[in-house]
Amino acid sequence: MKEELQRFEQFLHTKGLRMTPQRRIIAETLFATHHHIDAETLCDMVRGRNRSVSRATVYRTLSLLVESKLLDGRDYGHGYKQYEHVIGHEHHDHLICSVCGKVLEFTNESVERLQQEILDEHGYAPETYSLVIHGVCPDCRTDAPAGGAASSSAH
Amino acid sequence: MKEELQRFEQFLHTKGLRMTPQRRIIAETLFATHHHIDAETLCDMVRGRNRSVSRATVYRTLSLLVESKLLDGRDYGHGYKQYEHVIGHEHHDHLICSVCGKVLEFTNESVERLQQEILDEHGYAPETYSLVIHGVCPDCRTDAPAGGAASSSAH
DNA sequence: GTCACTGCAAAAGATTTGCACACTT
DNA sequence: AAGTGTGCAAATCTTTTGCAGTGAC
């Protein structure tokens, strides 16, 4: 997270912007959280540390972090964006339950390769690519109660 | 589209709801459109045919259609949902340009297989699954100006 | 002094909801 | 009559923006 902060500071510097206390608190809070987090929750956490940080600044800083490519924000279908930082996290993909909305991260080498192939095939640069699969998780399934591979890591 | 309308009517019937003129117009318009479409655009199209259909009804009907699984709505990062109908469309995936936001549909057999594997592996039912890849499209790339596979269907 | 940064409150944009009236059965 | 459906306008929710004051260089 030290690295992320430094990169952020560098990014700001490059753009002639400053690392302010507010921006630092927001970035620190974000980089210390290893889950998906939404702006509102982040806001609460940040304001728990320093009451004088406004919602507007949180949103503004989130934009900067996304722009700096240190953060990735996406709406997984809940009606608001969820953010996660990129560095220090192995690239992973998302499996989202259509019923309960739960977001499961997973890694799969074949997918990595395939994504690259597809991007190449269409002439796309792989910048910030990601993969999202929607399905119904074992807990929410009412049909065949999962084949057997499910029981192991099924939360 | 006849089939879709019938299924929708059946769905409504099952839930003790009615197929009203408004719902029919909305569904017809939707099923006749083979692109992604957002609520606002749909609204305009529908109101072009029948001025007395309100925005509220469009949204309410969209919810019903999604609930009936005839329609799929997702936010591809533009801040509003885009809808597409499911039946009669070969399953395809989405490649979204991080810069211009353009949504490109593509089909890839390996992906189909892999998605299934991943779903199985985690015990997820494949209901309404889909795959979304983010990258920078040939038109927006400023680095290597695309290998060559891009020029054909670009734009 | 100049220019970036902030909080506040208002605004914006997409979607939902309360309500009274209309239509179906 | 009972219950669903609708339009309208107001409300909601997330995110953005205008503005006036604050602070760094």
Side-chain angles (χ1 to χ4, degrees):
Chain A
M1 115 137 152
K2 268 275 171 291
E3 187 193 346
E4 290 171 298
L5 272 179
Q6 277 172 22
R7 286 220 209 176
F8 185 38
E9 194 151 6
Q10 190 177 35
F11 167 80
L12 291 174
H13 197 73
T14 306
K15 304 211 46 163
L17 307 175
R18 299 172 199 142
M19 174 59 95
T20 64
Q22 288 92 333
R23 286 177 180 161
R24 173 167 276 111
I25 289 183
I26 293 167
E28 278 178 4
T29 306
L30 213 39
F31 294 148
T33 305
H34 295 269
H35 322 280
H36 294 90
I37 185 172
D38 60 278
E40 197 60 25
T41 306
L42 176 62
C43 232
D44 289 347
M45 292 176 69
V46 166
R47 290 170 69 86
R49 290 177 60 182
N50 183 332
R51 187 120 292 274
S52 76
V53 177
S54 72
R55 177 170 285 109
T57 297
V58 170
Y59 277 99
R60 284 190 273 236
T61 303
L62 282 171
S63 290
L64 287 171
L65 283 161
V66 169
E67 194 186 334
S68 76
K69 306 251 197 288
L70 287 166
L71 198 65
D72 192 34
R74 205 187 320 291
D75 180 351
Y76 292 103
H78 303 277
Y80 50 84
K81 286 212 183 87
Q82 295 197 270
Y83 298 88
E84 63 182 321
H85 40 132
V86 177
I87 297 177
H89 283 191
E90 192 179 355
H91 182 266
H92 57 264
D93 295 302
H94 301 93
L95 199 43
I96 300 165
C97 178
S98 315
V99 178
C100 66
K102 189 171 61 191
V103 178
L104 177 71
E105 296 181 358
F106 70 91
T107 317
N108 182 307
E109 271 218 20
S110 307
V111 171
E112 297 291 313
R113 266 198 307 280
L114 203 44
Q115 278 182 139
Q116 192 55 57
E117 274 174 35
I118 292 165
L119 287 160
D120 286 349
E121 187 180 327
H122 295 274
Y124 277 56
E127 197 177 307
T128 72
Y129 66 90
S130 88
L131 176 138
V132 181
I133 299 179
H134 294 255
V136 181
C137 78
D139 296 343
C140 294
R141 290 179 73 162
T142 50
D143 57 329
S151 45
S152 54
S153 64
H155 180 61
Chain B
M1 116 136 151
K2 269 277 169 292
E3 187 193 345
E4 290 170 298
L5 272 178
Q6 277 173 23
R7 286 220 210 176
F8 185 38
E9 193 151 9
Q10 190 176 37
F11 166 81
L12 291 172
H13 196 75
T14 306
K15 303 210 49 163
L17 306 175
R18 298 171 200 144
M19 174 59 96
T20 64
Q22 288 92 332
R23 284 176 182 161
R24 173 167 277 114
I25 290 183
I26 293 166
E28 278 178 3
T29 305
L30 213 38
F31 294 148
T33 305
H34 296 269
H35 322 279
H36 294 90
I37 185 172
D38 59 279
E40 196 60 26
T41 305
L42 176 62
C43 234
D44 289 348
M45 292 176 68
V46 166
R47 290 170 69 85
R49 290 178 60 183
N50 184 331
R51 186 122 291 276
S52 76
V53 177
S54 73
R55 177 170 285 106
T57 297
V58 170
Y59 276 100
R60 284 189 274 236
T61 303
L62 282 171
S63 290
L64 287 171
L65 283 161
V66 169
E67 193 187 335
S68 76
K69 305 249 197 293
L70 288 166
L71 198 66
D72 193 34
R74 205 187 322 290
D75 181 351
Y76 292 103
H78 304 276
Y80 51 83
K81 286 210 182 90
Q82 295 198 268
Y83 297 88
E84 63 181 320
H85 40 132
V86 177
I87 298 177
H89 283 191
E90 192 179 355
H91 183 265
H92 57 265
D93 295 304
H94 302 93
L95 199 43
I96 301 166
C97 177
S98 315
V99 178
C100 65
K102 188 171 59 191
V103 177
L104 176 72
E105 298 182 358
F106 70 91
T107 317
N108 181 307
E109 270 219 19
S110 307
V111 170
E112 296 292 312
R113 266 199 305 280
L114 203 44
Q115 279 182 138
Q116 192 55 57
E117 273 174 35
I118 291 166
L119 287 160
D120 286 350
E121 188 180 324
H122 296 275
Y124 277 55
E127 197 176 306
T128 71
Y129 65 92
S130 88
L131 176 137
V132 181
I133 299 179
H134 294 256
V136 181
C137 77
D139 295 343
C140 296
R141 290 179 72 162
T142 49
D143 57 330
S151 46
S152 54
S153 65
H155 179 73

